[in-house]
Amino acid sequence: MGNWTFSMDSLVLEALKVTPQSSLPAFILLLLIYVFIVVSNLGLVVVILNSRSLHQPMYLLFCNMSINDVFGATIIVPHVLRDLLKSNSERYIHYIACAAQAFCVHLHASVSHTVLMIMAFDRYMAICNPLRYATIMTHRTVVSLSWAAWGSACLLVLILVGLSVRLSRCRQVVFNLFCDNASLFSLSCESLLINNIYGLTYTVVLLGSSICSVALTYLKIAVVCLSSKNKALNSKALQTCTTHMTVYLILLVSGFIIVILHRFPQLSSHRKVAAVLGHVALPALNAVIYGLQMKEVRQKVVKKCVQKL
């Protein structure tokens, strides 16, 4: 009875299909990317927090993105690195750890959208209502919006994963490199109607509000820029908005690719690679895009590097 309970609580994860010759190079490359993600994103947070001139809503909101990127990469990359060095018979995960990982995976994705929505609102206020910007986007407002971004995402994901955890289990194999909500409810033989309804609602609410708010915000910004003859305003708007839109589009494209690949079981290997890249490429690109594109951040980073030398 004890052995049966242990086996039901232990799940088997699928492996990333790499040859024995390429497993070590893949391990080293992924490890280097992970180190870059942690060092670059946390480094940018330290630079922003230590520089009074960067204590502006835009940069403080970006700290949320950097922290979330490190969080998202840490959920997945060390797990994948460990499994790259293990044989197929050793890729086990406890059900509780699997549920916790699924919660964190979806929390990272949800926070990415909610924070980018708030950053879009910040850009709208700065460009379309510059005279009211300082009175509305105070430090207290930024903190409140940050809590709202994380809190709303946490609540949505908690319900999402909770509906899957309540189900009984009849399978032990997780058809993925790591656990997500689809992995959890796929372990059950019960009716998944409630899970599918809420999952669809969750996706529509999150992506629908994200896409609509960002689209409407940038439409209004475009109208203001086209009607304004202030070249300085248009230049600043173009710089900050291009950075934000680049990150947002990468997030959307990577998310849609993973969702589409889920519909084609024969492309499971491609889906696994896309899932890992989604948690690695975007966090790495965010630090590069924001660090190099934003003049103030770039100058502070260069100054800090010169001082160290």
Side-chain angles (χ1 to χ4, degrees):
M1 183 67 179
N3 290 336
W4 181 83
T5 303
F6 172 78
S7 65
M8 286 304 292
D9 284 340
S10 297
L11 306 177
V12 182
L13 290 163
E14 278 195 332
L16 185 65
K17 291 183 180 179
V18 292
T19 62
Q21 294 80 11
S22 59
S23 60
L24 184 58
F27 177 89
I28 294 172
L29 177 62
L30 197 55
L31 177 61
L32 291 174
I33 295 174
Y34 176 64
V35 171
F36 173 77
I37 290 170
V38 174
V39 172
S40 59
N41 280 285
L42 292 184
L44 284 174
V45 171
V46 171
V47 168
I48 291 170
L49 295 181
N50 286 338
S51 304
R52 278 191 167 277
S53 61
L54 296 180
H55 287 187
Q56 302 173 32
M58 179 174 62
Y59 301 119
L60 295 176
L61 288 172
F62 169 65
C63 288
N64 280 280
M65 284 295 294
S66 290
I67 292 169
N68 187 47
D69 285 339
V70 174
F71 171 65
T74 302
I75 297 162
I76 301 301
V77 180
H79 180 86
V80 175
L81 288 173
R82 182 199 66 184
D83 287 353
L84 277 172
L85 300 179
K86 286 189 173 183
S87 64
N88 290 336
S89 61
E90 296 176 326
R91 291 188 176 93
Y92 291 103
I93 185 170
H94 195 278
Y95 181 76
I96 295 175
C98 183
Q101 187 180 52
F103 173 81
C104 293
V105 165
H106 288 280
L107 178 62
H108 165 248
S110 300
V111 169
S112 296
H113 282 279
T114 54
V115 170
L116 283 169
M117 287 165 62
I118 293 171
M119 292 177 75
F121 172 73
D122 172 73
R123 291 299 82 211
Y124 166 75
M125 291 302 301
I127 296 167
C128 299
N129 294 286
L131 298 179
R132 299 175 57 200
Y133 180 76
T135 57
I136 294 177
M137 294 301 293
T138 61
H139 284 189
R140 184 174 181 177
T141 303
V142 171
V143 172
S144 299
L145 289 174
S146 298
W147 275 110
W150 285 85
S152 58
C154 186
L155 180 62
L156 288 171
V157 175
L158 192 61
I159 298 171
L160 181 75
V161 176
L163 288 173
S164 297
V165 170
R166 72 185 172 86
L167 300 170
S168 60
R169 304 188 299 279
C170 63
R171 303 183 184 91
Q172 291 177 268
V173 179
V174 175
F175 297 105
N176 203 357
L177 295 172
F178 52 85
C179 295
D180 55 12
N181 188 57
S183 305
L184 286 180
F185 65 66
S186 295
L187 299 173
S188 177
C189 295
E190 294 184 39
S191 171
L192 302 176
L193 179 62
I194 296 176
N195 296 71
N196 288 326
I197 291 174
Y198 181 79
L200 181 61
T201 304
Y202 160 81
T203 304
V204 170
V205 169
L206 183 65
L207 288 182
S209 58
S210 172
I211 294 172
C212 289
S213 62
V214 172
L216 287 173
T217 298
Y218 278 94
L219 192 61
K220 290 184 177 181
I221 290 173
V223 171
V224 170
C225 290
L226 289 173
S227 60
S228 173
K229 296 181 180 180
N230 189 332
K231 292 184 178 180
L233 173 66
N234 292 345
S235 177
K236 186 176 181 180
L238 183 63
Q239 181 184 357
T240 57
C241 293
T242 300
T243 303
H244 180 269
M245 278 302 296
T246 301
V247 172
Y248 185 73
L249 289 174
I250 293 173
L251 175 66
L252 276 184
V253 170
S254 63
F256 280 128
I257 288 174
I258 294 172
V259 170
I260 291 169
L261 289 175
H262 261 292
R263 306 300 175 189
F264 300 94
Q266 67 273 21
L267 299 175
S268 61
S269 297
H270 297 80
R271 174 176 52 79
K272 293 173 193 174
V273 174
V276 175
L277 288 176
H279 284 83
V280 170
L282 189 58
L285 286 172
N286 276 353
V288 174
I289 291 170
Y290 278 99
L292 296 180
Q293 183 71 15
M294 292 187 175
K295 183 180 178 181
E296 294 86 348
V297 175
R298 186 172 66 248
Q299 288 175 342
K300 292 293 181 181
V301 171
V302 171
K303 185 177 179 180
K304 292 286 183 183
C305 292
V306 171
Q307 288 176 350
K308 293 290 183 183
L309 295 174

